[in-house]
Amino acid sequence: MSLYALRNLTRVYDGRTVLDVPELTLGQGTIYGLLGPNGSGKTTLLSILAFLEKPTTGTVAYHGRPVDFSEKGLQPLRREIVLVNQIGRAHV
């Protein structure tokens, strides 16, 4: 079973589509890298996967169950998933 399954996922800000994912499956216990230029939607995708943002369209399944992006539906999921953003460069 997959950890995440996304279908026809989009996120639009002010009429501009910043994320468009036709299909993506992420398996449990696998390490993934997310690469792309500035503005390509990397942080937006991570925010959706961490249940911090709601997609504009499409579906997200977590552990095989469709995610209910209502506040009540997100509370238990937000206790499981944590997103730590990079704040800046470390100077050594």
Side-chain angles (χ1 to χ4, degrees):
M1 181 187 307
S2 63
L3 183 62
Y4 289 97
L6 287 60
R7 288 190 159 269
N8 303 315
L9 194 78
T10 65
R11 183 65 169 111
V12 178
Y13 296 111
D14 298 324
R16 180 174 164 255
T17 301
V18 297
L19 185 67
D20 186 359
V21 179
E23 186 173 345
L24 177 65
T25 302
L26 300 172
Q28 189 167 346
T30 304
I31 297 173
Y32 296 92
L34 189 57
L35 303 173
N38 289 346
S40 63
K42 300 178 301 292
T43 301
T44 300
L45 175 60
L46 291 174
S47 294
I48 290 171
L49 294 176
F51 312 115
L52 300 174
E53 286 189 45
K54 180 180 179 177
T56 303
T57 63
T59 59
V60 176
Y62 178 68
H63 284 294
R65 294 184 173 170
V67 174
D68 170 11
F69 277 91
S70 70
E71 198 58 37
K72 183 180 178 183
L74 293 176
Q75 287 298 326
L77 297 175
R78 287 178 177 160
R79 290 185 186 109
E80 280 187 57
I81 304 296
V82 176
L83 175 62
V84 179
N85 282 322
Q86 176 180 337
I87 295 173
R89 291 186 179 186
H91 298 284
V92 180

